[in-house]
Amino acid sequence: QVQMVESGGGLVQAGGSLRLSCTASGLTFVDRAVGWFRQTPGKERERVSCISRNAALTYYADSVKGRFTISRDNAKNTLYLQMNSLKPEDTAMYYCAAARFVYCPSTPAGFSYWGQGTQVTVSS
């Protein structure tokens, strides 16, 4: 059974930092690209960042470039998202996801497995 479990969310003031983690089990983590999405009520799920199998390629949404850093530890089957200089508009439920492929898909449909999400709230 595949599980992807996020942690690290919480309440933080604007300008602060959080580090999200996502630990995967039941799948060959090293053979897949993995990424982070976020969603707020009434809006579509937004791709925040993605990292290829060997970490050679990364993607960031324009809204988070220069503030967020994605990384992975294949030995620990764990994905990270370091979020700095947080803004109130970063408030959302954050989800990790494992892709079908070694490279990052451009749409959520390209991701096979999803976590349950961790809430990030940034106060102004």
Side-chain angles (χ1 to χ4, degrees):
Q1 181 180 359
V2 175
Q3 283 192 315
M4 300 192 70
V5 180
E6 303 97 337
S7 62
L11 174 64
V12 64
Q13 288 188 332
S17 298
L18 285 173
R19 188 193 195 203
L20 304 184
S21 299
C22 172
T23 301
S25 60
L27 76 166
T28 310
F29 184 81
V30 69
D31 285 343
R32 298 174 184 265
V34 282
W36 291 98
F37 288 75
R38 66 186 180 187
Q39 190 170 24
T40 54
K43 293 189 177 181
E44 291 188 357
R45 194 164 290 192
E46 174 191 11
R47 186 174 61 150
V48 174
S49 185
C50 186
I51 187 168
S52 62
R53 178 188 66 175
N54 60 1
L57 297 175
T58 57
Y59 163 85
Y60 295 96
D62 288 342
S63 57
V64 307
K65 281 181 182 176
R67 300 188 297 121
F68 290 11
T69 302
I70 192 170
S71 61
R72 64 189 295 167
D73 185 336
N74 287 340
K76 296 182 179 179
N77 282 8
T78 301
L79 173 69
Y80 303 100
L81 186 68
Q82 178 66 43
M83 305 188 294
N84 298 329
S85 303
L86 283 161
K87 304 176 181 180
E89 50 264 45
D90 295 318
T91 295
M93 185 70 78
Y94 283 71
Y95 300 88
C96 64
R100 306 177 191 276
F101 318 111
V102 299
Y103 295 111
C104 291
S106 59
T107 67
F111 290 81
S112 304
Y113 303 105
W114 295 82
Q116 292 300 306
T118 185
Q119 177 68 37
V120 171
T121 303
V122 184
S123 63
S124 58

